[in-house]
Amino acid sequence: MQHLFLVRFFFWTCMMTGILSCETDIATVNKLTGQYEASSETGKDIEVIYSNQGIVKAKLTAPVMLRYRTKEPYTELPDGLKILFYDVQGQVESQLTAGYGVSYEKSDEMMVKNNVEAISVKGDKLNTEELTWNQKTQKISSDKFVKITTRDEIIFGDGFESNQDLTNYKIKKIRGTIRLKEPVLTP
């Protein structure tokens, strides 16, 4: 009987020592788990419609979407994207493609990079490595090297600003212009 009492006493002593010696430092836990952000939403073959007062302004498609719910929430499109911009009649007025994109919810801005190409309804084409689209102002801009190809010329420069349909653009620092004898684009 005394043997059984010693076994129980030893068991409970070990258990209490184990329980009382455990200490969870919340700062340590947060430090370990906070090193990597986990996406709260993941989507494949996604389609997102941007509208204002019921009028569709743009449609974004992408093979993968990762949405992060952090202090500054953002959405990442690591495998590329395509955005179609619409006029008030619902007709495509321009399109944008890129190899990577990230959209910041609080600022309503999207930054795209890697083989960025924007094409207007007239066929004018913008190529750059990085571009920012502000959804509030409906403007696109870049501080990087840009190439604009129209029916009659190719313009090279550093920096760019435009409305999202590419009908009113400005190149900040023009490097050069090549006049074309034969049009390269079709409307």
Side-chain angles (χ1 to χ4, degrees), residues 4-165:
L4 183 59
F5 174 75
L6 286 175
V7 170
R8 284 186 183 167
F9 178 76
F10 179 72
F11 172 75
W12 284 110
T13 303
C14 288
M15 283 289 281
M16 292 307 289
T17 303
I19 290 171
L20 293 175
S21 67
C22 288
E23 182 180 319
T24 304
D25 180 10
I26 194 70
T28 304
V29 171
N30 286 339
K31 187 176 179 182
L32 291 173
T33 59
Q35 288 179 347
Y36 305 100
E37 293 179 351
S39 64
S40 59
E41 297 174 13
T42 301
K44 292 189 184 247
D45 298 323
I46 62 106
E47 182 175 288
V48 178
I49 305 294
Y50 296 92
S51 64
N52 186 4
Q53 298 179 353
I55 298 172
V56 175
K57 295 291 186 180
K59 178 174 76 171
L60 177 140
T61 56
V64 175
M65 177 194 78
L66 305 171
R67 190 166 185 186
Y68 297 91
R69 300 260 184 217
T70 59
K71 251 185 198 181
E72 299 290 328
Y74 66 97
T75 302
E76 185 178 25
L77 306 159
D79 295 339
L81 62 124
K82 180 176 185 176
I83 303 175
L84 299 175
F85 297 99
Y86 296 93
D87 63 17
V88 291
Q89 287 82 29
Q91 302 297 311
V92 174
E93 63 184 6
S94 61
Q95 68 178 20
L96 181 135
T97 58
Y100 172 86
V102 61
S103 178
Y104 301 97
E105 290 182 26
K106 288 187 178 181
S107 66
D108 279 335
E109 286 189 337
M110 173 179 271
M111 188 274 301
V112 294
K113 61 183 182 178
N114 302 340
N115 299 314
V116 178
E117 182 174 85
I119 303 172
S120 74
V121 71
K122 294 187 317 183
D124 293 350
K125 187 188 321 180
L126 164 72
N127 294 95
T128 187
E129 278 305 307
E130 189 174 297
L131 190 72
T132 301
W133 171 44
N134 186 309
Q135 297 167 40
K136 286 180 188 173
T137 63
Q138 298 183 2
K139 302 281 184 187
I140 58 176
S141 63
S142 177
D143 290 328
K144 305 293 183 190
F145 174 79
V146 295
K147 173 183 157 186
I148 298 177
T149 307
T150 68
R151 288 181 54 88
D152 304 320
E153 62 188 358
I154 300 172
I155 308 166
F156 302 95
D158 294 315
F160 172 84
E161 292 177 354
S162 177
N163 56 344
Q164 69 187 19
D165 65 4

